[in-house]
Amino acid sequence: MHFSDVKEMFDHYNINRRTNPQYLGSGTYGTVKTVIDRSGRQYAHKVYNRPFCYDTIREITTYLYLHKINKGHLVPKFYGYVFTTAYACILIEVGQCICDVPFTYNIVHGLIRTMLEFNSLGLIHRDLKPLNIIITNDNKVVFIDLG
């Protein structure tokens, strides 16, 4: 879902803008923080520092494409995005980083299954590492940071 600005997106999901977001990490193209709605549900809010960069546009359009073709199970749940001339950001599901979870058969199996299905769509994750793999609340292995 596209929003015109962050205020509209946060209001739509009842996210409290007054609480301090928890820093999750940053990379070449942006910073990710946890934001919380009024019911206590957590979201990952990624703000891109270069909105017109090819990698920013590719990541947002890849999320949109995967959800449009009903392959959203390969990536975290995508709630929405803002794209303006000044900045771009996305709101996605928060998961647990795979580097914090013991490797079990189910996790490895989920990782291989996700990677094979991702590649069968002709998509290549160019930065696959433990920090870019999360386990969702329903124990699915998904890829993040598609840039």
Side-chain angles (χ1 to χ4, degrees), residues 62-63 65-67 69-77 93 110-123 125 128 132-134 136 140-146:
T62 301
Y63 275 119
Y65 171 72
L66 288 172
H67 284 278
I69 64 168
N70 294 319
K71 297 293 182 179
H73 60 279
L74 298 175
V75 293
K77 186 170 181 182
E93 172 183 36
L111 176 62
I112 293 169
R113 187 190 73 248
T114 301
M115 198 175 338
L116 287 173
E117 192 166 352
F118 204 83
N119 290 338
S120 74
L121 296 170
L123 301 172
H125 195 297
L128 197 55
N132 289 339
I133 301 166
I134 62 172
T136 63
K140 291 188 304 184
V141 176
V142 297
F143 298 155
I144 60 173
D145 195 7
L146 303 176

Side-chain angles (χ1 to χ4, degrees), residues 17-59:
R17 292 186 307 275
R18 296 178 190 263
T19 58
N20 290 334
Q22 178 185 0
Y23 174 81
L24 291 177
S26 61
T28 305
Y29 302 107
T31 302
V32 182
K33 296 180 180 179
T34 300
V35 293
I36 302 170
D37 69 15
R38 287 175 176 40
S39 70
R41 182 180 188 155
Q42 293 184 342
Y43 301 85
H45 180 231
K46 181 172 185 177
V47 178
Y48 300 91
N49 52 17
R50 297 168 57 189
F52 289 103
C53 173
Y54 173 76
D55 292 323
T56 299
I57 295 167
R58 185 182 65 235
E59 182 170 37

